[in-house]
Amino acid sequence: MKVRFYIEKRRGKDGRLLTSRRPIFMTVAFHGKRVLISTGKNVDLKWWDHTKQQVREMHPDASVINRWLETLAYTAGTVWKSLASLSENPGVGEFRDEFERLRPRFSGGFFDIMFLFMEEGSRRWSISTYQKVRTFYNQLKEFEKSEMYPLHFNTMNESFLYRFRDYLEKKSRSESTIRKMVNLLVWYLNWATKNGYNVYYDYRGFYKMLDKGSATEKIPAKCEPVYLEWDELLRFLKHSPCTTVKERVRDLFCLSCFTGLRFGELRNLTKEDVMASSVIVRKGDSKVRYVPVSKYAAVILEKYKHRYYRDNAALPPVSAMTVNKYLRVMAKELKLERTVAVGIGSRRRAMLWEVLTAGAGVQTFIMHALRLEIPADVIASFTGVTSDHRIKLMKQELAMKEIKKFDLIEHSQ
């Protein structure tokens, strides 16, 4: 099978060659047969490169149109493989029918279609889901710009995944956060495929690709959970920031460390959810859990008891991005320079202040609860996840530290 693109050359009634907005066609040749297919695109004759069979780079929409031609050629190849497996000599009619069935819808580009995805979803998603996807949209654009890696449907492959993962690791994103981002991407790509915008399926193997490079397979002993030691936590609690936003970030983070509540759960607490000795955490499925509060947590909650925020929130509104940003700023001010291993399957180490995020609050709570010998099932009931893998990781961390006590025993004859 051979695919070729060409631009129509035709003369007008006056005998002159028509040069404006000429249609681009694709021909597919196989077994001495030839199928002519309209690409649906047209350009002025001066913009067509006959040798490369594509639009010249100087054209303002060259990249979009040329990607579209590549997608049509890829679809033709898929049709040919499908028909060739069923018949030794497929006919022109069979090829055309199958091509039209699989033919994708034209799109301006990866991000244009993602915007359509968000527009359609905004009518049925919750506000938080829409904001999450919109934030991810911005993160992908930032990745494309900083890594100079163009994002198209045909670049959603293994090479992209590993490069995107490395990019996120450099930004100190956790393994769970990276997997959540891949979940969002696969959700979008499934939608694009279902709606006829995408015909490339490499992305369906993203989860297996991630598992191949998971930390648990490569360096179980080097993948350290990020948490604060007790003295580091108290230094954070006693820190006196110079701005209101830093003060709020400090309070929310310390409250997470003392209660085991995730940042999103803290943000959803209302005045009615805060009681004298516990807080009520409500889930979307109408389930609730009661989390007792220590004296440290009670002091922070009391501070905001008579302050009022939108939607009767119990705590001041601060975005996750802001929390992560100022956590690192304050951690650097406090000189939290203990080194930890970071990244999926990576032996790279970084200072604590470089990798600190809101998620470290729950991990700090788990670590110190284990040290206090609180049963794992009770800790899980506090964090709200009955099979919280972080508890297992923390136990491994403690075990590694405990076994080193043997090194302190002096050798005797």
Side-chain angles (χ1 to χ4, degrees):
M1 185 202 75
K2 185 176 181 179
V3 176
R4 180 177 178 273
F5 292 97
Y6 73 93
I7 192 168
E8 182 193 63
K9 289 185 178 180
R10 186 163 59 86
R11 297 185 181 277
K13 294 180 180 180
D14 58 1
R16 293 182 179 179
L17 189 66
L18 299 175
T19 60
S20 178
R21 295 179 60 80
R22 306 317 304 146
I24 302 172
F25 290 97
M26 177 177 75
T27 59
V28 183
F30 55 91
H31 295 328
K33 302 168 185 175
R34 183 170 175 268
V35 183
L36 177 67
I37 296 172
S38 171
T39 66
K41 298 287 105 185
N42 54 66
V43 293
D44 291 353
L45 197 60
K46 65 179 180 180
W47 296 116
W48 184 253
D49 188 320
H50 298 277
T51 303
K52 294 183 178 179
Q53 298 179 39
Q54 64 181 27
V55 178
R56 298 183 188 278
E57 292 181 1
M58 296 81 76
H59 189 281
D61 294 326
S63 61
V64 173
I65 297 174
N66 289 335
R67 281 200 307 272
W68 173 241
L69 300 183
E70 290 174 8
T71 300
L72 291 181
Y74 178 86
T75 305
T78 301
V79 171
W80 169 249
K81 290 176 183 177
S82 174
L83 292 178
S85 66
L86 298 174
S87 172
E88 292 184 1
N89 190 17
V92 170
E94 290 177 280
F95 187 95
R96 186 182 296 280
D97 290 344
E98 185 67 6
F99 182 88
E100 291 303 322
R101 187 180 73 82
L102 296 178
R103 180 185 183 124
R105 297 166 64 181
F106 174 73
S107 65
F110 182 87
F111 289 106
D112 295 327
I113 298 305
M114 193 169 188
F115 198 80
L116 290 178
F117 171 62
M118 291 189 292
E119 278 193 329
E120 180 187 293
S122 65
R123 295 191 290 269
R124 45 194 173 79
W125 297 342
S126 66
I127 294 176
S128 62
T129 298
Y130 178 81
Q131 290 174 338
K132 187 184 301 181
V133 176
R134 187 59 190 257
T135 298
F136 182 58
Y137 171 92
N138 293 332
Q139 289 168 332
L140 286 175
K141 297 211 68 149
E142 181 184 324
F143 163 79
E144 181 182 57
K145 182 179 179 180
S146 66
E147 297 293 305
M148 293 184 291
Y149 189 101
L151 296 189
H152 312 302
F153 290 118
N154 64 342
T155 61
M156 292 293 105
N157 50 30
E158 186 175 27
S159 175
F160 157 78
L161 180 67
Y162 291 150
R163 190 157 174 178
F164 185 53
R165 187 190 66 184
D166 290 343
Y167 166 78
L168 294 173
E169 286 180 357
K170 291 175 186 175
K171 288 183 162 289
S172 304
R173 299 293 189 266
S174 67
E175 183 176 349
S176 61
T177 297
I178 293 173
R179 190 166 287 270
K180 286 176 183 177
M181 289 189 178
V182 173
N183 283 340
L184 286 174
L185 182 59
V186 171
W187 179 27
Y188 161 56
L189 292 173
N190 278 335
W191 177 90
T193 302
K194 179 182 177 182
N195 285 274
Y197 295 109
N198 175 48
V199 295
Y200 301 95
Y201 304 127
D202 285 359
Y203 76 90
R204 291 177 175 173
F206 276 1
Y207 296 120
K208 288 184 179 179
M209 295 175 201
L210 273 183
D211 291 339
K212 277 199 304 183
S214 69
T216 53
E217 288 184 5
K218 292 190 176 182
I219 50 163
K222 293 288 184 181
C223 184
E224 301 173 14
V226 177
Y227 61 90
L228 296 189
E229 294 289 359
W230 189 253
D231 66 307
E232 293 170 336
L233 176 54
L234 293 183
R235 284 164 61 191
F236 228 108
L237 182 64
K238 296 173 182 177
H239 183 54
S240 299
C242 56
T243 64
T244 301
V245 67
K246 282 186 177 181
E247 180 184 3
R248 290 177 173 181
V249 168
R250 178 203 63 191
D251 290 344
L252 290 174
F253 178 68
C254 288
L255 190 57
S256 176
C257 293
F258 292 129
T259 62
L261 297 185
R262 294 182 289 278
F263 175 72
E265 293 173 332
L266 291 175
R267 192 164 52 183
N268 291 332
L269 288 179
T270 65
K271 295 290 186 186
E272 290 78 10
D273 296 328
V274 179
M275 298 181 289
S277 59
S278 63
V279 294
I280 304 174
V281 180
R282 306 179 191 275
K283 288 189 175 182
D285 54 7
S286 300
K287 293 182 179 179
V288 300
R289 76 177 192 273
Y290 292 83
V291 179
V293 296
S294 65
K295 64 178 182 180
Y296 297 100
V299 170
I300 298 173
L301 290 169
E302 181 67 25
K303 177 178 177 179
Y304 294 98
K305 182 177 181 180
H306 299 295
R307 299 184 190 182
Y308 294 90
Y309 307 102
R310 182 180 295 181
D311 298 325
N312 202 33
L315 298 164
V318 185
S319 71
M321 189 177 298
T322 299
V323 169
N324 291 337
K325 174 183 176 181
Y326 286 105
L327 272 181
R328 291 171 187 164
V329 170
M330 288 188 284
K332 188 175 183 180
E333 292 171 352
L334 291 167
K335 300 187 184 306
L336 300 185
E337 298 176 346
R338 174 166 56 89
T339 61
V340 294
V342 294
I344 302 175
S346 169
R347 294 185 181 274
R348 185 171 70 87
R349 297 187 70 82
M351 287 186 283
L352 180 59
W353 69 263
E354 295 179 286
V355 299
L356 195 61
T357 64
V362 178
Q363 291 168 184
T364 298
F365 173 82
I366 293 173
M367 175 56 81
H368 295 297
L370 286 170
R371 285 175 174 169
L372 292 171
E373 299 184 350
I374 297 175
D377 58 336
V378 175
I379 298 173
S381 71
F382 290 160
T383 62
V385 184
T386 55
S387 59
D388 199 324
H389 69 282
R390 287 171 295 191
I391 296 177
K392 184 177 180 180
L393 282 175
M394 297 295 183
K395 282 185 173 180
Q396 292 174 347
E397 174 79 359
L398 283 175
M400 291 298 294
K401 290 185 176 181
E402 291 297 316
I403 202 67
K404 289 180 181 178
K405 290 180 179 179
F406 280 95
D407 299 337
L408 302 177
I409 301 176
E410 294 185 8
H411 178 70
S412 59
Q413 296 294 334

